[in-house]
Amino acid sequence: VKYCCVDCQKAHRKQHKRACKKRVAELKDEQLYSRGHERPEGDFCPICTLAIPLPVVRHSGIMVCCMKSICDGCSAAAGRRGMSRHCPYCRTPMTCNKADQLAMVQARAAKRDPAAIHFLGLTYFHGEMGIQKDIRKAVEITEEAAELGSVEALSHIGYWYTEGVGVEVDEAKGMEFSRKAAMQGNAGSRHFLGMYEFEKCNYDLALRHWMISAKLGHELSVEAIKNLFVKGLATKKQYTEALRGYQDAVEEMKSHDRDEAKAFMDYRK
């Protein structure tokens, strides 16, 4: 609603207040479901430029020297070329010394690198690399990383606040972080939003979220849609669309180097 002047707004706003609130909610939903259909930059290997399979942490390694996530395929290829002792991306010599690794992360965090700050927050959360576990500090640092633009930090902090992990439950705050992460392409947060709506019996909204995350390559989202289909809460067409979208995403993430790396790791098991 547009008003001709302030006096007009004061006089008539009460008549339109409910309609305005409804429209604001509709606009938020439009943004929520229209954004985040592509993975964020941090989900792509900087060497082969392909999206890293989900979950990223299981199919890549983060280099503490440059804070780049290198996919298993490129790491394996670098090893075959005799570069296993150097970062495949920035060529910095690798070290197994935890103190030296932490110093590299802290140096980048001091320069306001969101990825480094987020990594440092998780280090405090898990009590790793010689750092004493401190969840309260982990939350503070992760929030800082989220403010600086780390999508992964948004995802983590959203889950922590919603579920009360290390902090008091603040569902509204947690869901706001999760929505921001989802709108930037974080498949995990998008799936989480679907679970949130599913638990509230908002099956149509859950389906909308899972359709997006499934097409980003999130396997659990496909399974969730399949479950809706079996229960008669989703159509065969919707399930087929989600499955094909997921398969297309998986296919786009394949490479010869990744296949070789997977075969080697499966052999070692």
Side-chain angles (χ1 to χ4, degrees), residues 185-253:
N186 186 278
S189 285
R190 181 67 73 174
H191 179 76
F192 181 62
L193 291 176
M195 292 299 299
Y196 177 81
E197 296 295 353
F198 179 82
E199 290 172 1
K200 292 184 175 296
C201 300
N202 297 325
Y203 304 122
D204 288 342
L205 297 181
L207 177 61
R208 292 182 71 180
H209 284 301
W210 288 334
M211 289 291 287
I212 296 172
S213 47
K215 294 176 183 179
L216 293 175
H218 199 283
E219 185 176 5
L220 292 179
S221 296
V222 181
E223 293 299 317
I225 295 173
K226 180 181 178 181
N227 183 50
L228 290 180
F229 170 58
V230 171
K231 293 181 177 179
L233 299 172
T235 65
K236 182 178 180 180
K237 181 180 179 181
Q238 289 169 325
Y239 173 55
T240 301
E241 180 184 342
L243 182 60
R244 287 177 177 171
Y246 167 76
Q247 292 171 337
D248 288 344
V250 170
E251 192 64 31
E252 290 175 1
M253 290 184 274

Side-chain angles (χ1 to χ4, degrees), residues 63 65 75 78-79 82-94:
M63 302 292 109
C65 46
S75 292
M83 296 170 55
S84 58
R85 296 184 179 181
H86 291 76
C87 171
Y89 183 75
C90 70
R91 303 296 192 267
T92 299
M94 292 185 182

